[in-house]
């Protein structure tokens, strides 16, 4: 029931803030948003799920099943539950929403009640996406995320907000449609072997090899088509080069709190769904296509980083860097080892925190200086030390400085990928690692020119330290990043428990328990 | 004779929903003749709302009492079963919403008692259409629902658009009635019966070669009559004019309830009278496949080019008729017929709420005197956020986003098309849904994202209209989790026809 409490609290919060007068909406929204945070942290502390919810033997925590209706031969249910993959993402969603709401107090100065109402609708939908275990419930939440996002960018965004909002909506909606078709190809292929559209049932039926032919296509062809269609659908959301062009537009036009949600949580929907649908349900196709997928991932890493290197706008730099970081997630998934899959999931959390932090820092700097261009300011460290401190910390975390979350995540991924069984895995890993060099390049370059040196600002606004409510989210995120970096097992133990079963079903058997144990001893991550 | 009498008695009870509509209409006229001058708007609107809600309650009661078992009346001319009660539920809900909304919309117009009486008479005709089990009652009840509708479209008699729309609607309506009547007479000539089951049994033995062509022409003419009532291509030309010119609550009424009434006739006539296995000279399933395909594309493409919200909704309602026609076009015998027909019924019930709500929002905007084009809607959300949330729900649900029941009912239609093996229609449904998102989101964008192009100030927030719009929105959203309550009834009701 606790998942439903989370969703209900968000929806109720949405209704209350929507109807509240503008002047109290921000404070009210912050107060209400603490409820999901407290509940999700409590859930995290008492979490008792085991294994992977989609696979045999997986036991979700906080499970709810309510019969919904019958669709022909299928029984649809409202089915939710959490395992070690979804639990950290739920916690990430609630915490980031609260911080985003807090950071919205300064920049959002019109139609506040509607803004916070939509933030809550989005939070509810995100929790739904990460917890739903029935395809229909999941799809309802998946599509529901688009609607608040469309408004949040379209109403409160920058000068080209209408264009960005429509572009976001069209790209992601078309992607959803393609994914939908892909998924139903699988359902038709499974035919009578499933009696519901529950994700666990479908995943287990697929792993049993129940996939039959559809309209003259063989089972293997059906699996391949479904994999490609679903991968495409999710890849737009991630986003993967060359489907990423909506992302910088959306990020640059979106107000800071919305960028935080977009980079922090929304992008994870894509990789989360890939992990659940592509890599859990169709492992044979995933391993067969591994070199191609790895190539896509590495291109995303390098190309995204190069694009970030070319930007002059701080927000664009952070936006493009997301393309690059999410490429690492896909690389980890493709690796198909415990550390690959686990590291990818860990990177989702860590990137959520770090990119959220960087967007918040850029937002605070923009609120003060009213510019985001690298050339328009320098020496900010003197005037706003806390903000700059957080920015530097976030950048270092992004570059993978040890003891911070980014290091742990990338280390897991590289270790996992190096060990992967597909052709040329070490080469792909080495190429992807080169991405870190570029990341360090553009971040240090931007930092050096904006925060260090003598003070200068091209705008006439007085530059001074931001208010307490602007700084609290930065500090909280820095603390979380360090905690997760120094004690990754807070999340990784849970994640590894959930990704392990995925590999046992893999016929090719890339990763074995022995390598897992060996790496644990080697990496000292226990 | 005694058992017969008890059947007659329980038969009248089974007709309670229809009687509730009819008696309320008469009651309204009585109230008006007692006090013709004093136009007590509240009393008239209240009476209509109460009357439709009574019909709604009666529907539920009869469904509960009979369990959807067919009750035949008047020698089988009328049949009260799950199908008819399901559609009466739609008519009663839409009539209640429309009556509620009309309270504010009609605040300065004369002849209000007549307006409500006509609405309820039309509703009576529709609920009779749902129970018609003979071509005779089909024709009579169709006229009973059409004639008041002509008058209602032309109700704003000082408005040129309204009168023109009324005339256009009337002329095309008269033509299609003639076509329908001629088609019925041909079918009667060949089969010698007007009762739908008897037509089927007459056909089961096969008809002479010379008569097969006559029968085929008759069936096609009946398809034409149905196409008129459901505003499907090629008899759709009246719809945009009539919906645009009519008072907005009447547009809501016609595009939701009247369309559903046309479909229930189509479902019953074609499934009962012309079963798939009978050789009737034409393949009506193929005819409906073509109609569905063409109607979807013409409706949606025309809607995408409109500059006027009301006209856009009118064309999109043609597109939705195309979606529901899939339910008939997919009856190829390959799939589960009850499921396929039930999918069409489910879309109509969801559509009844979301489309009525959208037109009532247009009525609200007309009430404010804001205008009808997309530009006029700019920035409405700053003034009326709650109503705009409701409108957003309607539009996204119409487009098939999972914010309301429209997503699930469209999905059912998609499954129905796949089940029936007509993949082309399934593809057309998906393509058209994606296309429709474009023009529906234009309204959403105007309301929420654009700044007001001309400054306007909304002074009053009419209670009746607001209540109707919000109620429709609540039901539209609730139909997403609660569609299961309807789906079982719909599938069972549809399955009993086969």
């Amino acid at each position: 029931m606790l998942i439903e409490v989370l969703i209900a609290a968000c929806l109720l919060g949405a209704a209350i803030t929507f109807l509240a007068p503008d002047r109290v909406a921000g404070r009210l929204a912050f107060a209400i948003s603490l409820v999901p945070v407290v509940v999700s942290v409590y859930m995290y502390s008492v979490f008792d799920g085991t294994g992977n919810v989609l696979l045999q033997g997986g036991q979700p925590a906080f499970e709810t099943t309510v019969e919904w209706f019958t669709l022909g031969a299928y029984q649809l249910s409202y089915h939710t539950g959490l395992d070690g993959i979804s639990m950290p993402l739920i916690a990430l969603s609630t915490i980031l929403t609260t911080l985003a709401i807090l950071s919205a107090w300064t920049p959002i100065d019109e139609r506040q009640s509607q803004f916070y109402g939509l933030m809550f609708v989005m939070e509810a939908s995100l929790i739904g996406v990460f917890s739903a275990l029935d395809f229909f419930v999941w799809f309802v939440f998946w599509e529901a995320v688009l609607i608040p996002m469309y408004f949040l960018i379209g109403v409160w965004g920058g000068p080209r907000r209408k264009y960005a909002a429509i572009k976001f909506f069209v790209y992601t909606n078309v992607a959803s449609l393609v994914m939908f078709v892909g998924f139903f190809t699988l359902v038709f292929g499974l035919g009578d072997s499933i009696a519901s559209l529950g994700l666990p049932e479908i995943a287990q039926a697929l792993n049993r090899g129940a996939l039959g032919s559809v309209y003259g296509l063989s089972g293997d062809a059906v699996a391949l088509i479904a994999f490609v269609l679903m991968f495409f659908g999710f890849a737009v959301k991630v986003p993967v080069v060359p489907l990423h062009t909506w992302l910088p537009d959306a990020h640059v036009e979106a107000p800071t709190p919305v960028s935080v949600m977009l980079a922090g949580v929304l992008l994870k929907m894509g990789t989360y769904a890939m992990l659940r649908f592509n890599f859990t349900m169709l492992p044979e196709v995933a391993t067969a296509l591994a070199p191609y997928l790895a190539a896509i991932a590495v291109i995303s890493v390098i190309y995204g980083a190069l694009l970030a290197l070319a930007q002059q706008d701080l927000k664009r730099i952070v936006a493009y860097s997301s393309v690059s970081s999410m490429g690492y997630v896909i690389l980890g998934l493709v690796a198909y080892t415990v550390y690959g899959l686990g590291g990818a999931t860990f990177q989702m959390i860590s990137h959520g925190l770090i990119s959220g932090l960087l967007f918040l820092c850029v937002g605070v700097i923009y609120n003060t200086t009213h510019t985001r261009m690298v050339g328009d300011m320098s020496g900010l460290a003197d005037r706003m030390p806390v903000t700059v401190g957080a920015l530097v910390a976030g950048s270092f975390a992004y570059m993978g400085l040890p003891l911070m979350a980014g290091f742990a995540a990338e280390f897991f991924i590289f270790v996992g990928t190096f060990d992967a069984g597909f052709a040329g895995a070490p080469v792909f890993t080495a190429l992807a690692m080169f991405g870190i060099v570029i990341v360090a390049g553009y971040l240090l370059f931007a930092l050096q020119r904006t925060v260090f040196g003598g003070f200068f600002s091209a705008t006439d606004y007085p530059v001074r330290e931001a208010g307490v409510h602007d700084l609290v989210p930065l500090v909280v995120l820095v603390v979380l990043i360090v905690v997760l970096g120094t004690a990754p097992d807070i999340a990784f133990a849970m994640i590894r428990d959930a990704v392990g079963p995925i590999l046992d079903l893999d016929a090719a058997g890339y990763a074995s328990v022995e390598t897992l144990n060996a790496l644990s001893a080697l990496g000292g991550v226990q | 004779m005694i058992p017969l009498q008890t059947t007659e008695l329980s038969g009248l009870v089974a007709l309670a929903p229809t009687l509730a509509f009819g008696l309320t209409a008469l009651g309204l006229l009585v109230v008006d003749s007692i006090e013709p001058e004093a136009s007590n708007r509240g009393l008239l609107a209240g009476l209509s709302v109460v009357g439709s809600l009574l019909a709604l309650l009666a529907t539920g009661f009869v469904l509960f009492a009979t369990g959807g078992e067919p009750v035949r009346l008047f020698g089988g001319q009328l049949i009260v079963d799950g199908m008819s009660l399901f559609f009466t539920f739609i008519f009663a809900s839409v009539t209640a919403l429309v009556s509620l909304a009309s309270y504010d919309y009609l605040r300065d117009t004369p002849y209000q008692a007549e307006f409500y009486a006509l609405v309820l008479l039309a509703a009576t005709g529709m609920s009779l259409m749902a129970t018609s089990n003979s071509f005779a009652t089909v024709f009579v009840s169709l006229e009973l629902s059409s004639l008041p509708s002509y008058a209602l479209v032309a109700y704003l008699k000082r408005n040129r658009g309204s009168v023109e729309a009324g005339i256009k609607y009337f002329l095309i309506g008269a033509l299609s009635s003639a076509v329908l009547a001629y088609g019925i007479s041909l079918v009667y000539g060949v089969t010698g019966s007007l009762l739908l089951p008897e037509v089927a049994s007459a056909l089961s033995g096969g008809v002479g070669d010379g008569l097969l062509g006559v029968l085929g022409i008759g069936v096609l003419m009946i398809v034409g009559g149905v196409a008129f009532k459901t505003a499907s291509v090629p008899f759709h030309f009246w719809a945009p004019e009539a919906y645009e010119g009519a008072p907005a609550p009447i547009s809501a009424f016609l595009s939701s309830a009247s369309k559903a009434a046309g479909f229930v006739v189509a479902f019953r006539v074609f499934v009962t009278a012309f079963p798939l296995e009978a050789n009737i000279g034409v393949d009506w399933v193929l005819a409906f496949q073509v109609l569905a395909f063409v109607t979807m594309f013409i409706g949606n493409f025309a809607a995408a080019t409109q500059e006027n919200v009301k006209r856009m909704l009118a064309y999109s309602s043609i597109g939705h008729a195309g979606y529901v026609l899939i339910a008939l076009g997919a009856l190829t015998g390959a799939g589960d017929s009850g499921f396929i027909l039930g999918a069409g019924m489910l879309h109509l019930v969801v559509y009844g709420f979301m489309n009525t709500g959208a037109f009532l929002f247009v009525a609200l905007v007309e009430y404010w005197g804001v205008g009808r084009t997309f530009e006029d809607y700019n920035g409405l959300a700053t003034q009326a956020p709650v109503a705009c949330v409701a409108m957003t729900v309607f539009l996204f649900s119409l487009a098939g986003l999972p914010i309301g029941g429209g997503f699930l009912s469209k999905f059912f239609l998609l499954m129905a098309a796949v089940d029936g093996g007509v993949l082309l229609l399934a593809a057309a449904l998906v393509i058209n849904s994606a296309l429709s998102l474009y023009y529906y989101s234009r309204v959403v964008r105007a309301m929420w994202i654009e700044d007001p192009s001309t400054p306007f100030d909304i002074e009053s927030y009419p209670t009746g209209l607001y209540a109707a719009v919000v109620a429709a929105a609540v039901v539209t959203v609730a139909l997403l989790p609660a569609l299961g309550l309807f789906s079982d009834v719909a599938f069972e009701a549809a399955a009993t026809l086969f």
Side-chain angles (χ1 to χ4, degrees):
Chain A
M1 279 309 288
L2 282 175
I3 299 170
E4 287 66 41
V5 170
L6 281 179
I7 296 175
C10 296
L11 290 179
L12 203 64
I16 293 171
T17 42
F18 186 79
L19 295 172
D22 277 352
R23 70 197 146 70
V24 298
R27 277 160 236 284
L28 188 66
F30 173 67
I32 295 172
S33 76
L34 291 175
V35 176
V37 172
V38 170
V39 174
S40 69
V41 169
Y42 169 75
M43 286 162 78
Y44 204 105
S45 66
V46 300
F47 176 79
D48 62 348
T50 52
N52 188 304
V53 279
L54 296 195
L55 300 172
Q56 210 83 48
Q59 189 54 52
F62 317 109
E63 191 177 12
T64 309
T65 316
V66 181
E67 283 195 2
W68 192 5
F69 60 84
T70 52
L71 172 74
Y74 304 115
Q75 171 65 48
L76 305 191
S77 309
Y78 175 84
H79 186 190
T80 55
L82 301 182
D83 67 0
I85 296 170
S86 34
M87 185 68 243
L89 286 166
I90 298 263
L92 175 75
S93 310
T94 57
I95 292 170
L96 271 187
T97 309
T98 299
L99 299 180
I101 284 173
L102 199 55
S103 76
W105 287 7
T106 311
I108 302 300
D109 51 7
E110 50 162 8
R111 295 163 80 177
Q112 282 101 327
S113 57
Q114 294 170 16
F115 179 88
Y116 295 109
L118 286 169
M119 289 291 278
F120 277 125
V121 174
M122 187 157 69
E123 183 179 10
S125 316
L126 288 167
I127 292 169
V129 167
F130 293 130
S131 62
L133 293 179
D134 184 274
F135 178 76
F136 256 87
V137 181
W138 178 83
F139 190 73
V140 166
F141 285 122
W142 172 270
E143 286 287 279
V145 174
L146 298 186
I147 295 166
M149 202 61 193
Y150 170 71
F151 289 120
L152 286 169
I153 298 175
V155 176
W156 290 273
R160 290 169 67 240
R161 61 184 189 274
K162 291 168 198 164
Y163 169 77
I166 295 276
K167 193 170 176 180
F168 164 78
F169 202 54
V170 170
Y171 263 67
T172 48
N173 197 52
V174 168
S176 299
L177 219 57
V178 174
M179 178 274 293
F180 194 83
V181 173
F183 182 79
F184 271 91
T185 316
L186 277 188
V187 171
F188 293 138
L190 286 170
D192 294 337
S193 60
I194 47 170
S196 79
L197 296 184
L199 300 181
E201 200 190 348
I202 290 175
Q204 286 166 24
L206 284 167
N207 283 310
R208 276 200 311 272
L211 198 61
S213 62
V214 184
Y215 292 112
L217 294 167
S218 71
D220 288 345
V222 170
L224 181 66
I225 291 170
F227 186 96
V228 171
L229 290 178
M230 292 198 296
F231 190 86
F232 173 85
F234 301 138
V236 170
K237 198 90 142 197
V238 173
V240 170
V241 174
L243 307 169
H244 65 286
T245 59
W246 64 268
L247 181 86
D249 283 311
H251 266 314
V252 172
E253 298 308 321
T256 303
V258 178
S259 292
V260 171
M261 294 306 289
L262 187 61
V265 195
L266 250 74
L267 303 187
K268 277 72 196 174
M269 287 165 62
T271 47
Y272 171 80
M274 276 184 189
L275 175 54
R276 288 286 196 218
F277 287 79
N278 292 85
F279 291 91
T280 304
M281 292 185 181
L282 299 165
E284 287 84 4
V285 187
T287 47
L289 293 180
Y292 307 101
L293 300 178
I296 292 173
V298 171
I299 289 170
S300 277
V301 167
I302 304 287
Y303 189 74
L306 288 175
L307 281 174
L309 190 61
Q311 302 306 317
Q312 292 297 316
D313 180 334
L314 277 178
K315 205 169 179 186
R316 270 185 180 272
I317 294 176
V318 183
Y320 277 113
S321 73
S322 286
V323 176
S324 160
S325 292
M326 296 307 284
Y328 286 127
V329 177
I330 296 182
L331 188 68
L333 294 178
V334 174
Y336 231 77
T337 54
V338 167
Y339 276 90
L341 294 176
T345 312
F346 196 86
Q347 167 82 338
M348 292 186 213
I349 313 295
S350 125
H351 176 256
L353 297 173
I354 301 173
S355 70
L357 172 62
L358 290 184
F359 273 117
L360 284 176
C361 292
V362 173
V364 170
I365 291 174
Y366 180 75
N367 292 342
T368 314
T369 62
H370 292 256
T371 179
R372 289 191 306 249
M373 304 315 278
V374 170
D376 285 355
M377 53 192 150
S378 75
L380 295 181
D382 293 342
R383 302 291 180 100
M384 33 200 326
V386 181
T387 311
V388 164
L391 180 64
V392 172
S395 304
F396 283 175
Y398 225 119
M399 292 174 222
L401 207 70
L403 297 186
M404 294 177 117
F407 170 75
E410 281 160 14
F411 178 75
F412 290 148
I413 290 177
F414 293 142
V415 167
T417 318
F418 211 82
D419 193 42
F422 62 87
V427 181
F428 284 118
T429 314
L431 283 173
M433 287 169 99
F434 184 68
I436 291 189
V437 179
I438 310 177
V439 172
Y442 64 74
L443 283 177
L444 289 175
F445 195 50
L447 284 181
Q448 189 206 350
R449 291 202 288 165
T450 55
V451 302
F452 301 124
F455 173 76
F456 160 76
S457 170
T459 57
D460 293 335
Y461 296 92
V463 175
R464 56 178 175 285
E465 190 55 277
V468 173
H469 61 84
D470 285 326
L471 296 178
V472 166
L474 307 184
V475 175
V476 172
L477 282 174
V478 171
V479 169
L480 284 175
I481 288 166
V482 172
V483 167
L484 215 54
T486 44
D489 255 17
I490 292 175
F492 195 71
M494 199 184 262
I495 292 170
R496 191 174 48 191
D497 186 35
V499 298
I502 299 175
L503 301 165
D504 290 343
L505 289 158
D506 175 20
Y510 283 154
S512 60
V513 182
E514 290 84 75
T515 43
L516 170 78
N517 292 338
L519 282 166
S520 299
L522 193 73
V525 189
Q526 190 55 270
Chain B
M1 292 305 286
I2 291 167
L4 187 68
Q5 273 179 340
T6 45
T7 337
E8 287 290 288
L9 190 69
S10 77
L12 278 185
V13 174
L15 270 187
T18 313
L19 292 175
F21 281 131
L23 292 176
T24 312
L26 297 178
L28 283 162
L29 292 176
V30 169
V31 169
D32 190 48
S33 38
I34 295 170
E35 270 193 297
E37 296 304 320
S39 66
N40 188 343
R41 305 196 290 127
L43 177 66
L44 296 172
L47 203 57
S48 327
V49 173
V50 169
S52 356
L53 290 180
L54 278 178
L56 195 67
L57 275 179
T59 311
F61 169 74
V62 175
L63 182 64
F64 180 73
T66 63
E69 284 300 308
V71 179
R72 290 186 174 75
L73 299 158
F74 307 114
Q77 299 277 335
L78 296 183
I79 181 168
V80 177
D81 59 2
M83 173 79 95
S84 74
L85 292 170
F86 188 89
F87 278 90
T88 309
F89 170 84
I90 302 178
F91 307 143
S93 317
V94 173
T95 311
L97 287 174
V98 166
S99 306
L100 184 58
S102 301
Y103 168 72
D104 296 304
Y105 192 85
L106 297 178
R107 66 194 184 290
D108 299 325
T109 45
Y111 308 121
Q112 298 207 355
E114 288 78 357
F115 177 91
Y116 290 111
L118 287 171
V119 168
L120 280 148
L121 280 175
T124 316
M126 291 172 194
S127 67
L128 270 181
M129 282 166 84
T131 54
S132 295
N133 198 31
S134 134
F135 281 115
T137 43
V138 163
F139 188 76
V140 171
S141 56
L142 193 134
E143 289 300 300
L144 177 55
S145 92
S146 294
L147 287 170
S149 308
Y150 305 145
L152 284 168
V153 169
Y155 174 75
L156 302 172
K157 65 176 186 178
R158 304 201 187 291
N159 177 324
R160 288 178 66 90
S162 179
V163 175
E164 191 190 322
I167 289 180
K168 207 168 208 172
Y169 185 26
F170 175 62
L171 288 178
I172 299 181
L175 174 72
S176 354
S177 288
V179 170
L180 176 66
Y182 193 52
I184 290 173
S185 72
L186 292 180
V187 171
Y188 179 71
V190 175
T191 61
S193 177
L194 284 173
L195 283 175
L196 305 183
E198 287 186 17
V199 170
S201 52
L203 290 174
S204 64
V207 291
D209 278 345
L211 292 176
L212 204 55
V214 175
L215 180 67
I217 292 172
V219 172
L220 282 184
M221 286 182 150
I222 293 173
V223 172
V226 166
F228 161 74
K229 200 65 188 168
T230 56
S232 309
V233 177
F235 288 90
H236 67 287
F237 292 104
W238 61 273
E241 308 293 333
Y243 295 168
E244 194 195 354
I250 294 306
S251 315
F253 187 59
L254 291 183
S255 65
S256 309
S258 182
K259 193 181 290 272
F263 275 111
V264 65
V265 164
F267 290 171
R268 209 185 279 286
V269 164
F270 286 96
V271 171
T272 312
F274 309 117
L276 287 175
E277 57 275 11
N279 177 19
I280 54 167
V282 289
D283 186 352
W284 60 260
V285 172
L286 181 66
F288 278 117
Q289 284 172 2
V290 174
L291 278 194
F293 191 82
V294 178
T295 306
M296 274 189 262
F297 275 99
I298 288 186
N300 280 303
F301 272 99
T305 58
Q306 299 305 314
E307 283 306 317
N308 175 320
V309 175
K310 211 173 170 187
R311 244 180 127 74
M312 179 277 280
L313 284 176
Y315 276 108
S316 93
S317 115
I318 296 175
H320 277 271
Y323 301 148
V324 180
L325 284 172
I326 291 178
L328 286 163
L331 286 176
T332 51
D336 175 1
S337 301
F339 172 71
I340 293 170
L341 211 55
M345 291 166 66
L346 278 177
H347 190 64
L348 283 170
V349 74
V350 180
Y351 181 74
F353 287 98
M354 60 190 180
N355 185 63
T356 306
F359 270 111
L360 292 185
F361 181 84
V362 173
L364 188 62
V365 176
E366 283 183 9
Y367 174 90
W368 287 325
V370 170
R372 285 180 181 178
T373 63
F374 287 96
E375 277 82 46
D376 294 329
Y377 277 54
N378 284 355
L380 262 183
T382 53
Q383 298 276 334
V386 175
C388 287
V389 168
M391 182 63 166
T392 309
V393 167
F394 300 139
L395 293 169
F396 280 152
S397 182
L398 282 166
L401 288 188
I403 189 173
F407 161 67
L408 281 182
S409 64
K410 267 193 189 174
F411 178 75
F412 274 104
L413 282 172
L414 182 74
M415 294 299 275
V418 174
D419 199 27
V422 273
L423 292 181
L424 197 61
L425 287 184
L429 174 67
V430 172
I431 293 167
N432 278 294
S433 288
L435 173 69
S436 70
L437 190 58
Y438 160 73
Y439 57 79
Y440 287 128
S441 64
R442 278 182 73 193
V443 183
V444 173
R445 180 177 146 178
M447 290 191 304
W448 290 95
I449 297 183
E450 304 287 345
D451 297 318
S453 37
T454 48
F456 54 80
D457 230 2
I458 294 170
E459 281 150 14
S460 64
Y461 294 88
T463 334
L465 268 168
Y466 249 89
V469 168
V470 170
V474 168
V475 177
T476 303
V477 173
L479 276 174
L480 180 59
L483 199 68
L485 297 178
F486 288 87
S487 63
D488 292 343
V489 179
F491 295 141
E492 263 176 46
T496 53
L497 284 189
F498 293 95

